[in-house]
Amino acid sequence: MSIKAVIFDMDGVILDSETISDRTWAITQKEMGLVTDKDFINMCRGTNHNDTLNILRQVFGQDFDAEKFMDHSVELFYQIEESEGIPLMPYVKEALEYLQPRYTLALASSTNGVAVKRQLTNAGVIEYFKTRTTGEQVVHSKPDPEIYLMACRSIGLDPSECVAVEDSPNGVRSAAAAGLKTIMVPDKIQPDDEMRKLCWKICPSLKSLEEIL
């Protein structure tokens, strides 16, 4: 079946927001005096708010005030977003300009819809996406396939007709489990053997999309 749509993750694929999140989480971790040998930041990449809270409690204990951690991190993120803005990832505009005349473009982001709309608008790329499926719309976030199945329904296509563009293992797992051809453009986490098995393609940047789509 031919490819008719490309569904993008946002954080780490369209926007360089993961870099800002890493800064805010490091500050919050230091301020709260948290010490762990677990790579909890990478464990949370691609997950929505509720699943992130659950992961934090798994790492730091069920009595851990995960809401306080997240609220402070979000507050710091907004401060940086307002003062510095969120940069686009490399070749975003070029890739979207190339793909839009050829495919339906949609978004599947674990971030809350209000933030997604604001951030994509400020970055000047919101008009490229026909639909936006966001974290608060699903019960289970990535790596569960729910968000990608919902995104495919939003554009009226079967998952086999869609390509997903992801940067994180959780995102790749989600898209692959939903039945999409999955392209990984690594950001903070490099692909391992599991990712190489799940992905259709692994690309160094979005510029490579012009060569394969």
Side-chain angles (χ1 to χ4, degrees):
M1 194 173 288
S2 62
I3 296 169
K4 297 179 180 177
V6 182
I7 303 177
F8 285 85
D9 174 44
M10 183 181 77
D11 298 298
V13 174
I14 300 296
L15 300 179
D16 190 13
S17 44
E18 298 283 4
T19 298
I20 299 175
S21 293
D22 286 1
R23 287 166 60 188
T24 64
W25 279 46
I27 293 168
T28 304
Q29 183 180 358
K30 184 176 181 180
E31 289 181 355
M32 293 181 69
L34 301 173
V35 178
T36 178
D37 59 356
K38 293 185 179 180
D39 191 2
F40 68 99
I41 293 178
N42 282 339
M43 291 167 65
C44 294
R45 293 196 198 278
T47 59
N48 68 7
H49 183 78
N50 286 337
D51 285 350
T52 298
L53 293 177
N54 289 333
I55 292 170
L56 289 173
R57 293 188 185 108
Q58 289 169 20
V59 172
F60 295 109
Q62 291 304 310
D63 294 332
F64 175 67
D65 194 345
E67 288 280 6
K68 178 182 178 181
F69 182 98
M70 288 300 297
D71 287 347
H72 188 54
S73 296
V74 169
E75 181 184 351
L76 292 171
F77 189 100
Y78 286 153
Q79 291 174 9
I80 295 172
E81 179 184 347
E82 188 171 330
S83 62
E84 301 177 18
I86 305 175
L88 288 169
M89 295 294 287
Y91 305 109
V92 167
K93 282 281 185 74
E94 295 91 334
L96 295 176
E97 286 286 344
Y98 169 80
L99 293 170
Q100 191 178 45
R102 295 167 172 83
Y103 304 95
T104 298
L105 303 185
L107 196 86
S109 172
S110 296
T111 298
N112 181 278
V114 173
V116 166
K117 183 178 181 181
R118 180 186 70 249
Q119 292 169 7
L120 291 179
T121 299
N122 290 341
V125 295
I126 195 167
E127 299 301 330
Y128 289 97
F129 302 101
K130 184 176 181 180
T131 64
R132 302 186 300 273
T133 306
T134 49
E136 80 287 355
Q137 296 176 257
V138 298
V139 177
H140 301 292
S141 66
K142 304 169 186 178
D144 190 278
E146 182 182 0
I147 194 167
Y148 273 103
L149 294 172
M150 188 179 290
C152 291
R153 288 196 298 271
S154 76
I155 53 177
L157 293 174
D158 189 86
S160 63
E161 300 175 290
C162 303
V163 166
V165 183
E166 276 284 354
D167 69 300
S168 71
N170 281 334
V172 168
R173 293 180 187 114
S174 173
L180 288 79
K181 289 181 180 293
T182 306
I183 298 172
M184 185 179 189
V185 182
D187 180 25
K188 303 300 182 186
I189 306 175
Q190 293 304 305
D192 57 12
D193 288 341
E194 179 196 2
M195 294 298 103
R196 283 186 277 271
K197 290 176 183 176
L198 291 177
C199 288
W200 176 49
K201 303 282 186 182
I202 297 175
C203 301
S205 75
L206 293 177
K207 187 170 182 59
S208 301
L209 298 184
E210 296 182 24
E211 301 168 9
I212 60 179
L213 291 171

